[in-house]
Amino acid sequence: MSGKSPPSVPLATLLALYRTMCRIRAFEDAAEVASQGGVAAFGQKQDTSVAVRGPLHLSTGQEAVAAGVCAHLRPSDYLTSTHRGHGHTIAKGADIARMFQELFGKATGYCGGRGGSMHIADFSVGMLGANGVVAAGIPIAVGAAHSMAIQRRDAIAVTFFGDGALNRGPFAESLNWAAAFRLPVLFVCEDNQWSATTRTSTMSAGDGAAARAIGYGVPAVAVDGMDVAAVWQTAGELIRQIRAGEGPRLLHAKTYRFKGHV
């Protein structure tokens, strides 16, 4: 959390946001230890039979975006995520023990141990799932928002995606559909400035996520994704507008991941 946090954010809210961020960071750190063959922080070997298998994408450094946005969501609201989705899942209220069990391939995990790190879902809290395909979660959230509109439900959908998703077809298609039907969906571009191992600035034309959203008639706001209070305030206003029936919105949060791609 930076020193630019607005003084109007209640202290209790700041503490709750900080707890969520710490919970996410602790999960990512522990998952990283497990993925390294069970080597603990102090060099002590653990039981390697419980080590995480397969790819593990950490959101270390990006905690403020997940915490600030999800603080405004209800269990009835839907959420879709990315291959880097542990933080979003935790912030939406998923059970951390079952998340770890899924990473360890246990039958007691969220997907019976078959989904792994990139496919955790918990429908009981509105978490429709992380997704290993870039941009694939965006149209799922838009579809969920459309179902809410048809059923006249008092709920919204939120979709997190990275800056690498901006050049994928589902992003453009989803913006168009959401705008055409004024759907209750918040697009959150978690811009960590890297598409896998390539700088996004070298492969993306134009002025970024907000400019592309505005081109489709979707109001968009940029925010410092490293400032949890700023994210909380900005996301809160956008979500208020969506709940009021004003249609989709996009939040462009510039952040940074402190770890490698995988």
Side-chain angles (χ1 to χ4, degrees):
M1 193 168 63
S2 74
K4 300 179 291 182
S5 301
S8 58
V9 180
L11 177 59
T13 299
L14 289 174
L15 289 174
L17 293 169
Y18 181 66
R19 290 189 189 99
T20 299
M21 293 171 65
C22 288
R23 193 174 295 116
I24 295 170
R25 178 67 66 87
F27 182 96
E28 299 289 52
D29 287 348
E32 183 179 21
V33 168
S35 73
Q36 300 294 330
V39 180
F42 299 102
Q44 298 173 338
K45 290 290 287 184
Q46 298 176 341
D47 181 2
T48 56
S49 65
V50 298
V52 173
R53 301 290 196 269
L56 185 76
H57 301 83
L58 303 177
S59 61
T60 310
Q62 302 179 189
E63 297 87 358
V65 184
V69 172
C70 292
H72 297 283
L73 301 184
R74 308 164 184 167
S76 58
D77 294 327
Y78 285 146
L79 178 72
T80 65
S81 183
T82 70
H83 57 282
R84 202 177 301 280
H86 302 155
H88 312 142
T89 308
I90 292 169
K92 192 62 170 73
D95 182 80
I96 290 178
R98 289 193 66 190
M99 289 178 64
F100 262 119
Q101 289 159 11
E102 182 61 33
L103 264 61
F104 293 150
K106 303 295 184 180
T108 50
Y110 268 115
C111 303
R114 296 179 176 87
S117 170
M118 293 189 286
H119 301 99
I120 296 175
D122 183 355
F123 291 179
S124 70
V125 297
M127 176 57 181
L128 300 183
N131 203 305
V133 179
V134 175
I138 305 175
I140 295 174
V142 170
H146 205 151
S147 74
M148 293 170 177
I150 292 173
Q151 298 172 40
R152 298 184 179 180
R153 290 177 52 194
D154 181 21
I156 69 169
V158 175
T159 179
F160 287 94
F161 54 92
D163 40 301
L166 301 185
N167 299 325
R168 303 279 295 175
F171 174 64
E173 295 167 357
S174 298
L175 281 174
N176 179 73
W177 192 270
F181 291 95
R182 294 179 59 83
L183 299 180
V185 57
L186 175 64
F187 298 89
V188 181
C189 179
E190 206 167 27
D191 183 356
N192 61 27
Q193 305 166 58
W194 288 90
S195 302
T197 57
T198 303
R199 277 200 176 277
T200 304
S201 59
T202 66
M203 56 184 292
S204 294
D207 295 326
R212 296 190 185 188
I214 292 170
Y216 281 94
V218 177
V221 179
V223 69
D224 179 0
M226 304 302 283
D227 186 335
V228 69
V231 173
W232 179 83
Q233 282 199 322
T234 306
E237 176 57 25
L238 294 178
I239 289 173
R240 183 197 65 77
Q241 295 168 11
I242 295 170
R243 292 196 194 279
E246 299 179 21
R249 297 290 188 268
L250 183 141
L251 178 66
H252 182 186
K254 183 166 286 190
T255 181
Y256 201 79
R257 56 177 163 83
F258 298 160
K259 302 289 183 176
H261 174 67
V262 62

